[in-house]
Amino acid sequence: MGPVEHLVTCPLCEAMCGLRVQVLDGHVTGVRPNKDDVWSAGHICPKGASIGHLHEDPDRLRRPMVRRPDGRHVEVSWDDAYAEAERVLRPVLDTDGIRALTVYIGNPVAHNSDLATYIGSLLGFAQAGGMQGYYSPGTVDQWPLNVVSCLLFGGMWNSPIPDLYGTDHLMMLGANPSASQGSMLSAPDIMGLLKEITKRGTVVVVDPRRTGTAERATEWVPVHPGTDALLLFAILRTLGENGWVRKPDHLRDRVLGLDETVALADPFTPERVASVTGISAETIRRLAHDLAHARNPVLYSRIGTCAQEFGTLTTWLVFVINTALGALDRVGGAVFAKPPVWVPMFGKPPDQDGEGYTFGRFRSRVRGAPEVLSCFPVGCLAEEIDTPGDGRIRALITVAGNPAVSVPGSGRLSRALGTLDAMISIDNALNETTRHANVIFPGLSPLEHPHIDDLYWMYSVASCIKYSEAALEPQPEPGRPHEWELLLRLGGSLFGTPVPDVDVATLDDLYTAGMIATFAGLPNNPLTGLDAARVMAQLDGRGPERLADLSIRVGPWGDRFGERPDGLTLAEVKRHPNGLRLAELAGGRLDETVMTPSGKVELLHAHITDDIPRLIARMDRPNADLVMTSRRHLRSNNSWLHNVPTLMKGRDRCTLLIHPVDAARVGVVDGLLAEVSTSEGALTVTVEVSDEVTPGVVSLPHGWGHGQAGTQLRIANAHPGVNNNLLNPTDIIDVPSNTHAINGIGCRVRPLEARI
Ligand SMILES: Nc1nc2c(c(=O)[nH]1)N[C@H]1C(S)=C(S)[C@@H](COP(=O)(O)OP(=O)(O)OC[C@H]3O[C@@H](n4cnc5c(=O)[nH]c(N)nc54)[C@H](O)[C@@H]3O)O[C@H]1N2
Ligand SMILES: Nc1nc2c(c(=O)[nH]1)N[C@H]1C(S)=C(S)[C@@H](COP(=O)(O)OP(=O)(O)OC[C@H]3O[C@@H](n4cnc5c(=O)[nH]c(N)nc54)[C@H](O)[C@@H]3O)O[C@H]1N2
Ligand code: SF4
Ligand SMILES: [Mo]
């Protein structure tokens, strides 16, 4: 018999491409793009094409591992792993309580429905038991967007995306889709869509580096890192001064605070911001003019404008300017996607029980950082572990995360992880982080479990739904636990039941029923007022499939349990292996999507505008001689695809990009070693001299620094690179969102080798 083909959605980035995976005798024999996928229509990138190699990777964990007293990890049975988790965890819980435990949730959680739907069980149980903040790389990523979305639009994941099909003038800041394939913006073949925009209009890329995206744009605007908020305020001021603020009918009575916000731009004249941003006053005026005179202008920003000193103000200004251009909620502008599913994270979190949102409800123990959406800055984790005293973190659970590489101050964090009394990881690799874990519970490979995306449809340029079946049986034993079961087991153990004894099936029922009952009792969500017992009785299956059925049935196309007999259920979605394309982007949806207390877009919030004096002060602070920024590569995925041989082909990617003028000034030479240092530390790295970075800026990718003792990553360890988070300090923070700056960090570069 020949290979069997399975249609699955690639879970490796937000583009959600459809793949055809060929399987023969339990092995992947080929991966091809799925041209019939209703969403991606045959688009694919090298990462998706390599998913078979990821699955077959001999280093990928398939059995639990425990750490022996000599520090080595050995494979054990599932029962022994549960027993070891109990042995290390219980004494901490018995003496210090759940307060001494925290959880780190990594990025792949959002790309794996088993984890995404059940992470709430672990977090919810831990929070109920007294855990303080939790940690996530969100605070090195999109937390500014989450804060702004809560305040302006009423939900943490509720914000408009640029209509890439309709705009004729896109200004993109701090994003490089030629590598990332789009972020908080899901689009099939995003570079193809950008090319179409350049044909009918303009794409302006604001980035300190002439990226692959900037290369293909109409114009590249090299901005000094961390100063975008100044540029945007100056643009807003120019719009106001020239009477270019548009107030279209569809926004009338739907937006609060626009005039007051435009007035706040007053101090930021193009002349005043020019020297710090590195963009001339003339250019700023032209950028504003072009936006104002385009038919369908829109701004979009991403991590380069979030993970920087003024992430919240910058992200906020993007939405403010979209509003001032009249682009909000209209085709061709900034529109709200319509996800076909509804999941609890789309609602207001139950712990935010007042009107609007409250931040700073509790503070971190050591530096007193206020929580923001229940998170402390992730760079606080190390000090919470290694600073003695009451309330010290002694137990950590990591779920699909690699903080020893991915977070600022990772040197201190790595050392701190080694001192924990209990560390448990749910992860597929023995890597820089999990080498410190007492127990590693491996998840399934992405091809071994079904998957259905939820969050990314909130940011997608069309409303689609797709179900991925499991292409392969879990190996080595088909019955091995799924990650959602592991999450329930760990969550269930927090209240006294020994880890091996948790009744996962019963807890699953309780978790699902409890979640439905909670949201049924809260206002303004699709579960409001539903009878929880009746809903439970009608749902199919258990675990993530049951939750997927729920989220589809209460979604905009759902059957609402018989109310709409032709509506969707999970079973119906499964009948369409190429997916269902349900709707295209549309405007006019503010009344339906905005969940603020006033029901309107609320532009002005003290939580955001209180940060303006800090920005004003920035205008008087001269730029550092050299600053460091981060970059991504199409063939990497944060820290964890470097063990896939097909993705490691080609030349060394972990180089320090530096402009020829700076290279000459500091005396470093292309291809030779240099030292780059910051207040946090120093690294030795190969120099790549290139005018693709602006003078004054160097760029180093993140996710490297492999080759650590005790890891099992043969390929990655042979190409270790260096970890730029050893250089990123933990104290440069975007105040309103708790987000670390990893862009615009003052640094020094000096030669370590000379050409003879
Ligand atoms: N300097 C710098 N630092 C950065 C960034 C930057 O641009 N510059 N970017 C930041 C951003 S945006 C992010 S999102 C973070 C990422 O930070 P993290 O999420 O902490 O790190 P990742 O490298 O994505 O690590 C993912 C982990 O999940 C595991 N894994 C992969 N798939 C699965 C699975 O299906 N199940 C389980 N259980 N485990 C799995 C991998 O083995 C790996 O250990 O890094 C942040 N850090
Ligand atoms: N291939 C691949 N795809 C990925 C990932 C990956 O690691 N590899 N990671 C995924 C994840 S977790 C995320 S969050 C997304 C991120 O997706 P993107 O936001 O598109 O991320 P980057 O490609 O890092 O692009 C960020 C850009 O910001 C620029 N920048 C740095 N500082 C500043 C600044 O101060 N101002 C401005 N205007 N620009 C600045 C950088 O030079 C860089 O070009 O990508 C996702 N997709
Ligand atoms: S762009 Fe690449 S990594 Fe992203 S979903 Fe598509 S194939 Fe996967
Ligand atoms: Mo991210």
Side-chain angles (χ1 to χ4, degrees), residues 29 49 137 256 300 471 474 564 617 632 676-677:
T29 53
L256 297 177
Y300 158 75
R564 287 190 301 236
R632 283 181 161 66
V676 51
S677 56

Side-chain angles (χ1 to χ4, degrees), residues 14 107 111 137-138 140-142 183-184 302-303 456 632 638 702:
E14 299 171 41
N107 169 272
H111 295 275
V140 219
D141 190 350
Q142 83 296 332
S183 179
M184 310 318 281
R302 225 8 304 273
I303 193 168
Y456 298 113
R632 283 181 161 66
N638 298 323
H702 78 293

